[in-house]
Amino acid sequence: IRAQKRYDRVQFRKDLLAALDAIEAIVENMDGDPSASVEGFVDGSIDRIPCDVWELYVLVGKNLWLAGVIAVLLWAGVRYWRLKKQLREAVLLQDNVYILDGITTPFVLGLLRPKIYLPSGLKEQEQAHILLHEQRHIDRDDHIFRVVAFLVLCLHWFNPLVWAAFMLSGRDMEMSCDE
């Protein structure tokens, strides 16, 4: 196996050098004329670039992306499982509203039948305002949008702009329900 790995490394270096030479030849043939770059492809110099190198880049990139998707989904799955374990202790207050010790902020959970979870120890007036706020989330289908946004985040985990959009959309949802 070690000999095979050594051979693969040596062959990879040779293929990489051949690819760099082919790219350098194409660039030299251009001489400032963009149409000349097409000639490099037509005259066959592009054939010197081994497909194995490009396939290797695609394979590594695909596997890295897939590992990121799996990591984000696993992280979310573990957090969801822990939360569901904690929610077993919730006490039904009314319809779809539950009271729970050990949480600090109210939230909505569930896709088809969303439930509102409130921290214990809230005063009547606070509880009424929070219920209106959380019910507004349900009326606007924010709980569904949040799941869809998270799935997009899973697919584009490598893009910091998607992370920012995910965080900012959550903040915007909260502010719009307060109005």
Side-chain angles (χ1 to χ4, degrees), residues 63-95:
N63 288 333
L64 182 64
W65 172 79
L66 190 58
V69 170
I70 291 170
V72 172
L73 285 173
L74 279 175
W75 169 76
V78 167
R79 288 193 58 182
Y80 182 76
W81 178 75
R82 286 181 182 169
L83 179 63
K84 287 296 271 186
K85 191 175 172 183
Q86 186 181 6
L87 294 179
R88 290 181 193 154
E89 300 171 9
V91 177
L92 180 64
L93 180 67
Q94 63 187 24
D95 297 333

PDB file of all heavy atoms in Angstrom, residues 63-95:
ATOM      1  N   ASN A  63     -15.989  16.031  -1.995  1.00  0.00           N
ATOM      2  CA  ASN A  63     -15.952  15.360  -0.693  1.00  0.00           C
ATOM      3  C   ASN A  63     -15.835  16.358   0.457  1.00  0.00           C
ATOM      4  O   ASN A  63     -16.422  16.147   1.523  1.00  0.00           O
ATOM      5  CB  ASN A  63     -14.823  14.341  -0.644  1.00  0.00           C
ATOM      6  CG  ASN A  63     -15.130  13.129  -1.497  1.00  0.00           C
ATOM      7  OD1 ASN A  63     -16.287  12.793  -1.727  1.00  0.00           O
ATOM      8  ND2 ASN A  63     -14.102  12.479  -1.998  1.00  0.00           N
ATOM      9  N   LEU A  64     -15.096  17.422   0.252  1.00  0.00           N
ATOM     10  CA  LEU A  64     -14.985  18.454   1.280  1.00  0.00           C
ATOM     11  C   LEU A  64     -16.339  19.130   1.497  1.00  0.00           C
ATOM     12  O   LEU A  64     -16.769  19.342   2.635  1.00  0.00           O
ATOM     13  CB  LEU A  64     -13.934  19.487   0.878  1.00  0.00           C
ATOM     14  CG  LEU A  64     -13.665  20.604   1.869  1.00  0.00           C
ATOM     15  CD1 LEU A  64     -13.087  20.037   3.154  1.00  0.00           C
ATOM     16  CD2 LEU A  64     -12.713  21.620   1.272  1.00  0.00           C
ATOM     17  N   TRP A  65     -17.035  19.453   0.410  1.00  0.00           N
ATOM     18  CA  TRP A  65     -18.358  20.066   0.515  1.00  0.00           C
ATOM     19  C   TRP A  65     -19.328  19.128   1.228  1.00  0.00           C
ATOM     20  O   TRP A  65     -20.055  19.536   2.127  1.00  0.00           O
ATOM     21  CB  TRP A  65     -18.886  20.408  -0.878  1.00  0.00           C
ATOM     22  CG  TRP A  65     -20.304  20.859  -0.865  1.00  0.00           C
ATOM     23  CD1 TRP A  65     -20.780  22.095  -0.532  1.00  0.00           C
ATOM     24  CD2 TRP A  65     -21.460  20.068  -1.178  1.00  0.00           C
ATOM     25  NE1 TRP A  65     -22.155  22.116  -0.626  1.00  0.00           N
ATOM     26  CE2 TRP A  65     -22.591  20.891  -1.015  1.00  0.00           C
ATOM     27  CE3 TRP A  65     -21.631  18.751  -1.577  1.00  0.00           C
ATOM     28  CZ2 TRP A  65     -23.872  20.431  -1.247  1.00  0.00           C
ATOM     29  CZ3 TRP A  65     -22.921  18.292  -1.812  1.00  0.00           C
ATOM     30  CH2 TRP A  65     -24.010  19.137  -1.641  1.00  0.00           C
ATOM     31  N   LEU A  66     -19.323  17.854   0.835  1.00  0.00           N
ATOM     32  CA  LEU A  66     -20.226  16.885   1.440  1.00  0.00           C
ATOM     33  C   LEU A  66     -19.923  16.700   2.928  1.00  0.00           C
ATOM     34  O   LEU A  66     -20.840  16.587   3.742  1.00  0.00           O
ATOM     35  CB  LEU A  66     -20.122  15.549   0.701  1.00  0.00           C
ATOM     36  CG  LEU A  66     -21.163  14.499   1.051  1.00  0.00           C
ATOM     37  CD1 LEU A  66     -22.565  15.027   0.796  1.00  0.00           C
ATOM     38  CD2 LEU A  66     -20.915  13.242   0.256  1.00  0.00           C
ATOM     39  N   ALA A  67     -18.644  16.698   3.293  1.00  0.00           N
ATOM     40  CA  ALA A  67     -18.273  16.588   4.711  1.00  0.00           C
ATOM     41  C   ALA A  67     -18.797  17.786   5.495  1.00  0.00           C
ATOM     42  O   ALA A  67     -19.269  17.639   6.632  1.00  0.00           O
ATOM     43  CB  ALA A  67     -16.755  16.479   4.850  1.00  0.00           C
ATOM     44  N   GLY A  68     -18.743  18.973   4.910  1.00  0.00           N
ATOM     45  CA  GLY A  68     -19.277  20.164   5.563  1.00  0.00           C
ATOM     46  C   GLY A  68     -20.785  20.080   5.756  1.00  0.00           C
ATOM     47  O   GLY A  68     -21.301  20.438   6.811  1.00  0.00           O
ATOM     48  N   VAL A  69     -21.499  19.613   4.733  1.00  0.00           N
ATOM     49  CA  VAL A  69     -22.955  19.462   4.834  1.00  0.00           C
ATOM     50  C   VAL A  69     -23.297  18.484   5.955  1.00  0.00           C
ATOM     51  O   VAL A  69     -24.157  18.761   6.801  1.00  0.00           O
ATOM     52  CB  VAL A  69     -23.562  18.980   3.491  1.00  0.00           C
ATOM     53  CG1 VAL A  69     -25.014  18.579   3.654  1.00  0.00           C
ATOM     54  CG2 VAL A  69     -23.422  20.051   2.426  1.00  0.00           C
ATOM     55  N   ILE A  70     -22.600  17.359   5.977  1.00  0.00           N
ATOM     56  CA  ILE A  70     -22.860  16.354   7.006  1.00  0.00           C
ATOM     57  C   ILE A  70     -22.537  16.899   8.387  1.00  0.00           C
ATOM     58  O   ILE A  70     -23.289  16.681   9.342  1.00  0.00           O
ATOM     59  CB  ILE A  70     -22.073  15.059   6.699  1.00  0.00           C
ATOM     60  CG1 ILE A  70     -22.662  14.392   5.455  1.00  0.00           C
ATOM     61  CG2 ILE A  70     -22.082  14.112   7.889  1.00  0.00           C
ATOM     62  CD1 ILE A  70     -21.834  13.257   4.907  1.00  0.00           C
ATOM     63  N   ALA A  71     -21.440  17.635   8.507  1.00  0.00           N
ATOM     64  CA  ALA A  71     -21.055  18.200   9.813  1.00  0.00           C
ATOM     65  C   ALA A  71     -22.109  19.182  10.321  1.00  0.00           C
ATOM     66  O   ALA A  71     -22.489  19.142  11.498  1.00  0.00           O
ATOM     67  CB  ALA A  71     -19.696  18.882   9.707  1.00  0.00           C
ATOM     68  N   VAL A  72     -22.607  20.059   9.453  1.00  0.00           N
ATOM     69  CA  VAL A  72     -23.617  21.034   9.869  1.00  0.00           C
ATOM     70  C   VAL A  72     -24.917  20.325  10.247  1.00  0.00           C
ATOM     71  O   VAL A  72     -25.547  20.655  11.260  1.00  0.00           O
ATOM     72  CB  VAL A  72     -23.864  22.086   8.761  1.00  0.00           C
ATOM     73  CG1 VAL A  72     -25.035  22.977   9.098  1.00  0.00           C
ATOM     74  CG2 VAL A  72     -22.618  22.933   8.547  1.00  0.00           C
ATOM     75  N   LEU A  73     -25.316  19.318   9.460  1.00  0.00           N
ATOM     76  CA  LEU A  73     -26.536  18.570   9.777  1.00  0.00           C
ATOM     77  C   LEU A  73     -26.391  17.788  11.078  1.00  0.00           C
ATOM     78  O   LEU A  73     -27.336  17.728  11.886  1.00  0.00           O
ATOM     79  CB  LEU A  73     -26.897  17.629   8.624  1.00  0.00           C
ATOM     80  CG  LEU A  73     -27.499  18.291   7.391  1.00  0.00           C
ATOM     81  CD1 LEU A  73     -27.643  17.283   6.260  1.00  0.00           C
ATOM     82  CD2 LEU A  73     -28.834  18.924   7.710  1.00  0.00           C
ATOM     83  N   LEU A  74     -25.226  17.188  11.314  1.00  0.00           N
ATOM     84  CA  LEU A  74     -24.996  16.474  12.570  1.00  0.00           C
ATOM     85  C   LEU A  74     -25.042  17.414  13.764  1.00  0.00           C
ATOM     86  O   LEU A  74     -25.641  17.098  14.799  1.00  0.00           O
ATOM     87  CB  LEU A  74     -23.656  15.733  12.529  1.00  0.00           C
ATOM     88  CG  LEU A  74     -23.653  14.396  11.818  1.00  0.00           C
ATOM     89  CD1 LEU A  74     -22.235  13.837  11.738  1.00  0.00           C
ATOM     90  CD2 LEU A  74     -24.568  13.415  12.498  1.00  0.00           C
ATOM     91  N   TRP A  75     -24.400  18.564  13.624  1.00  0.00           N
ATOM     92  CA  TRP A  75     -24.411  19.560  14.697  1.00  0.00           C
ATOM     93  C   TRP A  75     -25.843  19.966  15.030  1.00  0.00           C
ATOM     94  O   TRP A  75     -26.242  20.006  16.191  1.00  0.00           O
ATOM     95  CB  TRP A  75     -23.563  20.760  14.267  1.00  0.00           C
ATOM     96  CG  TRP A  75     -23.689  21.946  15.148  1.00  0.00           C
ATOM     97  CD1 TRP A  75     -23.134  22.126  16.382  1.00  0.00           C
ATOM     98  CD2 TRP A  75     -24.443  23.133  14.872  1.00  0.00           C
ATOM     99  NE1 TRP A  75     -23.489  23.359  16.877  1.00  0.00           N
ATOM    100  CE2 TRP A  75     -24.286  23.995  15.973  1.00  0.00           C
ATOM    101  CE3 TRP A  75     -25.213  23.553  13.802  1.00  0.00           C
ATOM    102  CZ2 TRP A  75     -24.889  25.242  16.028  1.00  0.00           C
ATOM    103  CZ3 TRP A  75     -25.808  24.792  13.855  1.00  0.00           C
ATOM    104  CH2 TRP A  75     -25.643  25.613  14.957  1.00  0.00           C
ATOM    105  N   ALA A  76     -26.635  20.241  14.001  1.00  0.00           N
ATOM    106  CA  ALA A  76     -28.027  20.642  14.215  1.00  0.00           C
ATOM    107  C   ALA A  76     -28.842  19.489  14.782  1.00  0.00           C
ATOM    108  O   ALA A  76     -29.698  19.690  15.650  1.00  0.00           O
ATOM    109  CB  ALA A  76     -28.638  21.126  12.906  1.00  0.00           C
ATOM    110  N   GLY A  77     -28.595  18.279  14.311  1.00  0.00           N
ATOM    111  CA  GLY A  77     -29.317  17.116  14.808  1.00  0.00           C
ATOM    112  C   GLY A  77     -29.063  16.865  16.291  1.00  0.00           C
ATOM    113  O   GLY A  77     -29.998  16.569  17.046  1.00  0.00           O
ATOM    114  N   VAL A  78     -27.831  17.002  16.700  1.00  0.00           N
ATOM    115  CA  VAL A  78     -27.492  16.813  18.114  1.00  0.00           C
ATOM    116  C   VAL A  78     -28.155  17.890  18.966  1.00  0.00           C
ATOM    117  O   VAL A  78     -28.716  17.592  20.022  1.00  0.00           O
ATOM    118  CB  VAL A  78     -25.957  16.801  18.317  1.00  0.00           C
ATOM    119  CG1 VAL A  78     -25.575  16.924  19.777  1.00  0.00           C
ATOM    120  CG2 VAL A  78     -25.356  15.547  17.709  1.00  0.00           C
ATOM    121  N   ARG A  79     -28.112  19.125  18.515  1.00  0.00           N
ATOM    122  CA  ARG A  79     -28.763  20.215  19.273  1.00  0.00           C
ATOM    123  C   ARG A  79     -30.276  20.008  19.346  1.00  0.00           C
ATOM    124  O   ARG A  79     -30.884  20.230  20.392  1.00  0.00           O
ATOM    125  CB  ARG A  79     -28.447  21.558  18.636  1.00  0.00           C
ATOM    126  CG  ARG A  79     -26.993  21.964  18.875  1.00  0.00           C
ATOM    127  CD  ARG A  79     -26.738  23.367  18.539  1.00  0.00           C
ATOM    128  NE  ARG A  79     -27.627  24.218  19.328  1.00  0.00           N
ATOM    129  CZ  ARG A  79     -27.675  25.528  19.221  1.00  0.00           C
ATOM    130  NH1 ARG A  79     -26.891  26.135  18.390  1.00  0.00           N
ATOM    131  NH2 ARG A  79     -28.501  26.246  19.937  1.00  0.00           N
ATOM    132  N   TYR A  80     -30.886  19.578  18.247  1.00  0.00           N
ATOM    133  CA  TYR A  80     -32.330  19.328  18.232  1.00  0.00           C
ATOM    134  C   TYR A  80     -32.687  18.182  19.175  1.00  0.00           C
ATOM    135  O   TYR A  80     -33.665  18.255  19.922  1.00  0.00           O
ATOM    136  CB  TYR A  80     -32.794  19.030  16.800  1.00  0.00           C
ATOM    137  CG  TYR A  80     -34.272  18.810  16.673  1.00  0.00           C
ATOM    138  CD1 TYR A  80     -35.154  19.879  16.703  1.00  0.00           C
ATOM    139  CD2 TYR A  80     -34.802  17.529  16.516  1.00  0.00           C
ATOM    140  CE1 TYR A  80     -36.517  19.693  16.586  1.00  0.00           C
ATOM    141  CE2 TYR A  80     -36.161  17.337  16.397  1.00  0.00           C
ATOM    142  CZ  TYR A  80     -37.007  18.420  16.440  1.00  0.00           C
ATOM    143  OH  TYR A  80     -38.368  18.232  16.328  1.00  0.00           O
ATOM    144  N   TRP A  81     -31.900  17.110  19.146  1.00  0.00           N
ATOM    145  CA  TRP A  81     -32.139  15.964  20.019  1.00  0.00           C
ATOM    146  C   TRP A  81     -32.043  16.374  21.488  1.00  0.00           C
ATOM    147  O   TRP A  81     -32.880  15.973  22.294  1.00  0.00           O
ATOM    148  CB  TRP A  81     -31.133  14.865  19.692  1.00  0.00           C
ATOM    149  CG  TRP A  81     -31.267  13.668  20.569  1.00  0.00           C
ATOM    150  CD1 TRP A  81     -32.236  12.706  20.523  1.00  0.00           C
ATOM    151  CD2 TRP A  81     -30.395  13.318  21.641  1.00  0.00           C
ATOM    152  NE1 TRP A  81     -32.016  11.770  21.505  1.00  0.00           N
ATOM    153  CE2 TRP A  81     -30.888  12.121  22.209  1.00  0.00           C
ATOM    154  CE3 TRP A  81     -29.241  13.880  22.169  1.00  0.00           C
ATOM    155  CZ2 TRP A  81     -30.266  11.496  23.276  1.00  0.00           C
ATOM    156  CZ3 TRP A  81     -28.622  13.247  23.231  1.00  0.00           C
ATOM    157  CH2 TRP A  81     -29.141  12.073  23.776  1.00  0.00           C
ATOM    158  N   ARG A  82     -31.045  17.175  21.838  1.00  0.00           N
ATOM    159  CA  ARG A  82     -30.904  17.655  23.217  1.00  0.00           C
ATOM    160  C   ARG A  82     -32.101  18.522  23.628  1.00  0.00           C
ATOM    161  O   ARG A  82     -32.596  18.425  24.751  1.00  0.00           O
ATOM    162  CB  ARG A  82     -29.611  18.453  23.389  1.00  0.00           C
ATOM    163  CG  ARG A  82     -28.382  17.607  23.413  1.00  0.00           C
ATOM    164  CD  ARG A  82     -27.165  18.481  23.603  1.00  0.00           C
ATOM    165  NE  ARG A  82     -25.951  17.698  23.587  1.00  0.00           N
ATOM    166  CZ  ARG A  82     -24.740  18.213  23.521  1.00  0.00           C
ATOM    167  NH1 ARG A  82     -24.575  19.528  23.459  1.00  0.00           N
ATOM    168  NH2 ARG A  82     -23.679  17.432  23.521  1.00  0.00           N
ATOM    169  N   LEU A  83     -32.545  19.383  22.720  1.00  0.00           N
ATOM    170  CA  LEU A  83     -33.685  20.242  23.014  1.00  0.00           C
ATOM    171  C   LEU A  83     -34.944  19.409  23.206  1.00  0.00           C
ATOM    172  O   LEU A  83     -35.709  19.638  24.152  1.00  0.00           O
ATOM    173  CB  LEU A  83     -33.881  21.272  21.898  1.00  0.00           C
ATOM    174  CG  LEU A  83     -35.051  22.231  22.057  1.00  0.00           C
ATOM    175  CD1 LEU A  83     -34.876  23.103  23.297  1.00  0.00           C
ATOM    176  CD2 LEU A  83     -35.202  23.091  20.820  1.00  0.00           C
ATOM    177  N   LYS A  84     -35.191  18.443  22.322  1.00  0.00           N
ATOM    178  CA  LYS A  84     -36.379  17.597  22.444  1.00  0.00           C
ATOM    179  C   LYS A  84     -36.351  16.810  23.753  1.00  0.00           C
ATOM    180  O   LYS A  84     -37.392  16.597  24.371  1.00  0.00           O
ATOM    181  CB  LYS A  84     -36.478  16.628  21.257  1.00  0.00           C
ATOM    182  CG  LYS A  84     -36.878  17.279  19.950  1.00  0.00           C
ATOM    183  CD  LYS A  84     -38.256  17.862  20.010  1.00  0.00           C
ATOM    184  CE  LYS A  84     -39.278  16.851  19.614  1.00  0.00           C
ATOM    185  NZ  LYS A  84     -40.644  17.414  19.511  1.00  0.00           N
ATOM    186  N   LYS A  85     -35.187  16.409  24.173  1.00  0.00           N
ATOM    187  CA  LYS A  85     -35.038  15.704  25.444  1.00  0.00           C
ATOM    188  C   LYS A  85     -35.435  16.626  26.603  1.00  0.00           C
ATOM    189  O   LYS A  85     -36.121  16.200  27.537  1.00  0.00           O
ATOM    190  CB  LYS A  85     -33.587  15.243  25.588  1.00  0.00           C
ATOM    191  CG  LYS A  85     -33.337  14.296  26.699  1.00  0.00           C
ATOM    192  CD  LYS A  85     -31.885  13.827  26.637  1.00  0.00           C
ATOM    193  CE  LYS A  85     -31.529  13.015  27.856  1.00  0.00           C
ATOM    194  NZ  LYS A  85     -30.129  12.611  27.845  1.00  0.00           N
ATOM    195  N   GLN A  86     -35.043  17.879  26.527  1.00  0.00           N
ATOM    196  CA  GLN A  86     -35.387  18.859  27.560  1.00  0.00           C
ATOM    197  C   GLN A  86     -36.878  19.201  27.529  1.00  0.00           C
ATOM    198  O   GLN A  86     -37.486  19.451  28.563  1.00  0.00           O
ATOM    199  CB  GLN A  86     -34.546  20.122  27.369  1.00  0.00           C
ATOM    200  CG  GLN A  86     -34.714  21.151  28.445  1.00  0.00           C
ATOM    201  CD  GLN A  86     -33.868  22.390  28.185  1.00  0.00           C
ATOM    202  OE1 GLN A  86     -33.246  22.533  27.148  1.00  0.00           O
ATOM    203  NE2 GLN A  86     -33.859  23.284  29.144  1.00  0.00           N
ATOM    204  N   LEU A  87     -37.492  19.170  26.344  1.00  0.00           N
ATOM    205  CA  LEU A  87     -38.902  19.550  26.201  1.00  0.00           C
ATOM    206  C   LEU A  87     -39.868  18.513  26.763  1.00  0.00           C
ATOM    207  O   LEU A  87     -41.061  18.800  26.909  1.00  0.00           O
ATOM    208  CB  LEU A  87     -39.232  19.813  24.727  1.00  0.00           C
ATOM    209  CG  LEU A  87     -38.538  21.002  24.084  1.00  0.00           C
ATOM    210  CD1 LEU A  87     -38.948  21.130  22.627  1.00  0.00           C
ATOM    211  CD2 LEU A  87     -38.818  22.274  24.840  1.00  0.00           C
ATOM    212  N   ARG A  88     -39.385  17.341  27.099  1.00  0.00           N
ATOM    213  CA  ARG A  88     -40.252  16.313  27.687  1.00  0.00           C
ATOM    214  C   ARG A  88     -40.830  16.775  29.023  1.00  0.00           C
ATOM    215  O   ARG A  88     -41.869  16.289  29.444  1.00  0.00           O
ATOM    216  CB  ARG A  88     -39.465  15.024  27.893  1.00  0.00           C
ATOM    217  CG  ARG A  88     -39.097  14.331  26.623  1.00  0.00           C
ATOM    218  CD  ARG A  88     -38.349  13.065  26.903  1.00  0.00           C
ATOM    219  NE  ARG A  88     -37.735  12.567  25.685  1.00  0.00           N
ATOM    220  CZ  ARG A  88     -36.664  11.814  25.650  1.00  0.00           C
ATOM    221  NH1 ARG A  88     -36.072  11.441  26.770  1.00  0.00           N
ATOM    222  NH2 ARG A  88     -36.165  11.408  24.512  1.00  0.00           N
ATOM    223  N   GLU A  89     -40.153  17.690  29.667  1.00  0.00           N
ATOM    224  CA  GLU A  89     -40.580  18.171  30.981  1.00  0.00           C
ATOM    225  C   GLU A  89     -41.550  19.360  30.891  1.00  0.00           C
ATOM    226  O   GLU A  89     -41.972  19.882  31.922  1.00  0.00           O
ATOM    227  CB  GLU A  89     -39.355  18.569  31.801  1.00  0.00           C
ATOM    228  CG  GLU A  89     -38.380  17.433  32.020  1.00  0.00           C
ATOM    229  CD  GLU A  89     -37.076  17.882  32.630  1.00  0.00           C
ATOM    230  OE1 GLU A  89     -36.977  19.060  33.038  1.00  0.00           O
ATOM    231  OE2 GLU A  89     -36.158  17.063  32.692  1.00  0.00           O
ATOM    232  N   ALA A  90     -41.887  19.785  29.684  1.00  0.00           N
ATOM    233  CA  ALA A  90     -42.776  20.938  29.518  1.00  0.00           C
ATOM    234  C   ALA A  90     -44.189  20.612  30.002  1.00  0.00           C
ATOM    235  O   ALA A  90     -44.674  19.491  29.870  1.00  0.00           O
ATOM    236  CB  ALA A  90     -42.811  21.368  28.052  1.00  0.00           C
ATOM    237  N   VAL A  91     -44.830  21.634  30.545  1.00  0.00           N
ATOM    238  CA  VAL A  91     -46.192  21.498  31.077  1.00  0.00           C
ATOM    239  C   VAL A  91     -47.134  22.292  30.177  1.00  0.00           C
ATOM    240  O   VAL A  91     -46.887  23.463  29.881  1.00  0.00           O
ATOM    241  CB  VAL A  91     -46.254  22.030  32.535  1.00  0.00           C
ATOM    242  CG1 VAL A  91     -47.673  21.950  33.066  1.00  0.00           C
ATOM    243  CG2 VAL A  91     -45.289  21.272  33.420  1.00  0.00           C
ATOM    244  N   LEU A  92     -48.238  21.655  29.780  1.00  0.00           N
ATOM    245  CA  LEU A  92     -49.224  22.303  28.911  1.00  0.00           C
ATOM    246  C   LEU A  92     -49.941  23.417  29.682  1.00  0.00           C
ATOM    247  O   LEU A  92     -50.470  23.205  30.762  1.00  0.00           O
ATOM    248  CB  LEU A  92     -50.239  21.274  28.409  1.00  0.00           C
ATOM    249  CG  LEU A  92     -51.333  21.795  27.489  1.00  0.00           C
ATOM    250  CD1 LEU A  92     -50.749  22.310  26.183  1.00  0.00           C
ATOM    251  CD2 LEU A  92     -52.352  20.712  27.221  1.00  0.00           C
ATOM    252  N   LEU A  93     -49.929  24.613  29.085  1.00  0.00           N
ATOM    253  CA  LEU A  93     -50.622  25.752  29.683  1.00  0.00           C
ATOM    254  C   LEU A  93     -52.001  25.927  29.043  1.00  0.00           C
ATOM    255  O   LEU A  93     -53.008  26.026  29.721  1.00  0.00           O
ATOM    256  CB  LEU A  93     -49.776  27.027  29.521  1.00  0.00           C
ATOM    257  CG  LEU A  93     -50.351  28.304  30.079  1.00  0.00           C
ATOM    258  CD1 LEU A  93     -50.419  28.231  31.604  1.00  0.00           C
ATOM    259  CD2 LEU A  93     -49.506  29.499  29.664  1.00  0.00           C
ATOM    260  N   GLN A  94     -52.031  25.953  27.720  1.00  0.00           N
ATOM    261  CA  GLN A  94     -53.274  26.059  26.942  1.00  0.00           C
ATOM    262  C   GLN A  94     -52.961  25.663  25.517  1.00  0.00           C
ATOM    263  O   GLN A  94     -51.825  25.765  25.078  1.00  0.00           O
ATOM    264  CB  GLN A  94     -53.835  27.489  26.989  1.00  0.00           C
ATOM    265  CG  GLN A  94     -52.908  28.507  26.352  1.00  0.00           C
ATOM    266  CD  GLN A  94     -53.369  29.933  26.527  1.00  0.00           C
ATOM    267  OE1 GLN A  94     -54.097  30.240  27.446  1.00  0.00           O
ATOM    268  NE2 GLN A  94     -52.940  30.808  25.643  1.00  0.00           N
ATOM    269  N   ASP A  95     -53.953  25.222  24.770  1.00  0.00           N
ATOM    270  CA  ASP A  95     -53.844  24.806  23.367  1.00  0.00           C
ATOM    271  C   ASP A  95     -52.442  24.314  22.983  1.00  0.00           C
ATOM    272  O   ASP A  95     -52.093  23.184  23.216  1.00  0.00           O
ATOM    273  CB  ASP A  95     -54.292  25.935  22.433  1.00  0.00           C
ATOM    274  CG  ASP A  95     -55.756  26.283  22.634  1.00  0.00           C
ATOM    275  OD1 ASP A  95     -56.507  25.388  23.070  1.00  0.00           O
ATOM    276  OD2 ASP A  95     -56.122  27.432  22.359  1.00  0.00           O
TER     277      ASP A  95
END
